[in-house]
Amino acid sequence: MWTAGLFPTGTGHQDHDVPTAPLLRLHPGPAEPTTVADHYLRVDRPHPTRRPWVGVCMIASIDGATAISGRSGGLGNATDREVLLTMRAAADVVLVGAGTAAGEGYRAPGQLGLRIGVVTNSGRVDTTRDLFTSGAGFLVAPDSAPVPGGVEVLRVGAQRVDLGEALARLDEIVPGAVFVSVEGGPQLNAALLDADLVDEVSVTTSPRLVGGPSGRLATGGTEVDRRFELAHLLLDAEHFVFSRWVRSGAQAR
Ligand SMILES: NC(=O)c1ccc[n+]([C@@H]2O[C@H](COP(=O)([O-])OP(=O)(O)OC[C@H]3O[C@@H](n4cnc5c(N)ncnc54)[C@H](OP(=O)(O)O)[C@@H]3O)[C@@H](O)[C@H]2O)c1
């Protein structure tokens, strides 16, 4: 492979449990060995006025599939897992759609103090899961959604969640929150994109073609044309490509 000589031998760096494949930064050049933390943790994330910085973190196949057999795990590798956990380490809050929380079996996070907000219009969320009984999980729901007692809820919107208001009032749940990592899925991403609430997108491209019915990174909602600039492009020895894109003009928002 053309990059073979550029990779150091042995495993890559790791901040979490699983050894990762050696990782190269291709952009900004020149190409050199790097770490996940250098590009997802120790990066500048400005604080937009009135709401936290919002970063979407997703993996997709070469052809844009976001799941195999209904889950994203089959697309990933240890380095991608490291990216997700590093985004969590950088974040004050994780937001996730109800479909993803259920389908991916979201559980209490290993990271002490991390709060995970599950976004739902219907309120049909299994709050008996340890995500909620641990105290880490909370709901983001409209006034109309019936929600069992004992679960913290951020009420935003009458019949449907108002995501702008949710972000603006997130410090009612997590005081001082300045960075939100959004872990999908495609419907939640589309709604955030629609409302122009996405400041960065971290996309892992998994080296496989999948086809099938899964959503794209953002599926549904209104068609928009939002411009982003490439912050970095990384490649690991398993042919996974890691890119981070920042909304054009985001520094000034
Ligand atoms: N590749 C990846 O990185 C990745 C990441 C995440 C998920 N996925 C995959 O994506 C699939 C799930 O897709 P999905 O589109 O169903 O996921 P989703 O966006 O997580 O879930 C959709 C549900 O979330 C709630 N929701 C989403 N946006 C909302 C909004 N703006 N306001 C209020 N509620 C909102 C609604 O729940 P209610 O019906 O309760 O109102 C909606 O039915 C799974 O196969 C999963 O594996 C892949």
Side-chain angles (χ1 to χ4, degrees), residues 230-248:
L230 184 63
H232 73 233
L233 189 65
L234 316 179
L235 169 70
D236 78 6
E238 295 175 350
H239 304 254
F240 283 70
V241 175
F242 305 85
S243 57
R244 179 173 171 267
W245 303 83
V246 175
R247 179 85 163 93
S248 301

Side-chain angles (χ1 to χ4, degrees), residues 6 20 54 82-83 85 92 98 101 103 120 147 174 196 221 228 247:
L6 290 170
T20 58
V54 175
E82 182 80 9
V83 168
L85 293 177
D92 304 295
T120 173
V147 164
V174 182
D196 201 6
F228 286 76
R247 179 85 163 93

Side-chain angles (χ1 to χ4, degrees), residues 126-213:
D126 181 2
T127 55
T128 65
R129 298 188 70 93
D130 72 358
L131 172 61
F132 293 97
T133 56
S134 68
F138 66 95
L139 294 175
V140 180
D143 296 338
S144 59
V147 164
V151 178
E152 205 169 1
V153 189
L154 183 62
R155 294 280 186 185
V156 277
Q159 301 290 327
R160 303 188 65 76
V161 166
D162 179 332
L163 288 168
E165 188 185 345
L167 289 166
R169 290 181 39 213
L170 208 50
D171 60 3
E172 292 176 20
I173 304 282
V174 182
V178 293
F179 175 42
V180 176
S181 182
V182 177
E183 298 182 355
Q187 287 183 50
L188 177 59
N189 295 346
L192 288 165
L193 198 59
D194 198 0
D196 201 6
L197 292 169
V198 179
D199 300 305
E200 75 172 64
V201 187
S202 293
V203 187
T204 297
T205 304
S206 179
R208 41 172 63 83
L209 292 169
V210 171

